[in-house]
């Protein structure tokens, strides 16, 4: 079912990531971690859909998203997110029914690459609302540079959540680590206990799945999603 959402406000979180708040039409139900396929409600763009994750909770009145945008000539993005960055209150988008594999399946380790952190926002918010603490959960958030990191303070302020931020391209940064590797996981992963959630670029998904299994995490405790 296609629904129309009207933008209430848009706020930049860094040079390329925006927080968008839409009205939430009656009947739009979802679970934390789910996404929708979204299209711009304008001529020439209604058939161009990309998946974006709800960052609001099902109990909240608005439908919120955190969206990473790319230049119009960026490969694989068709210019849609560049237009999202220029949206104004009152503009509309079209969304299909929610979907997605990321959901809360227990405490553990959240591994995110760039915009792949977005499904974890609602999952962690929901866990915190229900339990009052995120003790026993760790977020490792990888970006290319420090300028690409977003919501760092938001995650650091979540009670009980252990965080590690890395950047993979800036060797002068104190956060520099070339990739999430076995040595890094050794400090954070408890293979006999943790459920491991992975979301990010396709190459990261395959690498992390292999790495987690090598470190003894059973396949049924590795939860993977490839939308952004």
């Amino acid at each position: 079912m296609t629904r129309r959402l009207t933008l209430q406000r848009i706020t930049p979180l860094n040079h390329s990531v925006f927080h968008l708040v839409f009205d939430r039409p009656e009947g739009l139900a979802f679970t934390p971690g789910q996404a929708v396929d979204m299209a711009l409600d304008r001529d020439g763009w209604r058939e161009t859909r990309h998946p974006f994750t709800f960052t609001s909770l099902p109990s909240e009145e608005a439908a919120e998203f955190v969206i990473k945008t790319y230049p119009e000539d960026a490969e694989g993005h068709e210019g849609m997110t560049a237009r999202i960055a220029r949206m104004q209150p009152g503009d509309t988008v079209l969304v299909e029914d929610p979907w997605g594999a990321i959901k809360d399946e227990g405490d553990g380790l959240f591994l995110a690459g760039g915009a792949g952190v977005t499904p974890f926002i609602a999952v962690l918010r929901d866990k915190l609302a229900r339990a009052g603490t995120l003790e026993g959960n760790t977020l490792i958030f990888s970006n290319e540079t420090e300028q690409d990191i977003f919501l760092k303070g938001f995650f650091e302020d979540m009670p009980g959540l252990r965080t590690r931020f890395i950047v993979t391209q800036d060797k002068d940064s104190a956060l520099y680590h070339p990739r999430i590797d076995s040595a890094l996981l050794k400090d954070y992963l408890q293979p006999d206990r943790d459920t491991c959630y992975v979301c990010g670029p396709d190459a990261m998904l395959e690498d992390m799945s292999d790495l987690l299994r090598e470190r003894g995490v059973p396949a049924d405790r590795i939860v993977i999603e490839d939308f952004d």
Side-chain angles (χ1 to χ4, degrees):
M1 178 179 179
T2 301
R3 295 179 173 86
R4 178 175 284 105
L5 309 185
T6 302
L7 183 65
Q8 297 178 359
R9 61 183 182 276
I10 178 170
T11 307
L13 299 179
N14 67 13
H15 64 95
S16 63
V17 178
F18 294 82
H19 176 214
L20 295 95
V21 180
F22 293 88
D23 66 346
R24 181 177 168 187
E26 185 176 353
L28 179 58
F30 59 92
T31 59
Q34 283 194 310
V36 287
D37 291 324
M38 180 185 294
L40 299 171
D41 187 18
R42 62 179 67 177
D43 291 345
W45 288 94
R46 293 186 179 91
E47 301 305 317
T48 302
R49 296 183 178 88
H50 286 280
F52 300 111
T53 320
F54 291 101
T55 57
S56 50
L57 298 182
S59 59
E60 295 174 334
E61 293 184 0
E64 301 185 25
F65 302 85
V66 170
I67 295 178
K68 182 174 176 63
T69 64
Y70 300 85
E72 293 197 32
D73 57 354
E75 183 178 354
H77 291 275
E78 304 170 301
M80 177 182 172
T81 62
R83 286 165 173 78
I84 286 176
R86 299 195 294 268
M87 288 182 68
Q88 299 292 322
D91 290 344
T92 55
V93 297
L94 304 173
V95 300
E96 303 302 318
D97 290 335
W99 58 272
I102 293 285
K103 60 181 180 179
D104 185 4
E105 298 188 24
D107 292 341
L109 181 61
F110 293 78
L111 303 172
V117 80
T118 55
F120 301 156
I121 296 172
V123 170
L124 291 170
R125 289 186 63 209
D126 182 61
K127 287 174 74 74
L128 180 60
R130 288 185 288 107
T133 180
L134 290 175
E135 195 72 35
N137 293 279
T138 298
L139 170 67
I140 300 179
F141 188 10
S142 172
N143 286 273
E144 291 186 351
T145 70
E146 289 191 39
Q147 289 70 36
D148 295 321
I149 299 172
F150 56 97
L151 294 177
K152 185 171 185 288
F154 168 80
F155 290 119
E156 289 175 331
D157 289 343
M158 298 186 91
L161 180 66
R162 189 181 186 190
T163 57
R164 174 71 184 269
F165 300 88
I166 70 169
V167 298
T168 60
Q169 300 296 320
D170 184 0
K171 294 183 178 181
D172 294 326
S173 170
L175 301 179
Y176 176 71
H177 197 93
R179 62 188 295 269
I180 300 174
D181 55 17
S182 185
L184 182 63
L185 289 181
K186 180 175 178 291
D187 294 331
Y188 298 96
L189 175 64
Q190 299 183 47
D192 60 343
R193 187 215 71 169
D194 286 341
T195 297
C196 296
Y197 306 82
V198 187
C199 192
D202 289 343
M204 175 186 175
L205 301 182
E206 184 174 347
D207 287 348
M208 290 301 98
S209 182
D210 291 343
L211 187 56
L212 290 167
R213 286 198 296 268
E214 289 171 7
R215 294 207 60 87
V217 180
D220 63 358
R221 283 198 277 111
I222 301 175
V223 183
I224 291 179
E225 189 60 275
D226 62 359
F227 56 75
D228 52 20

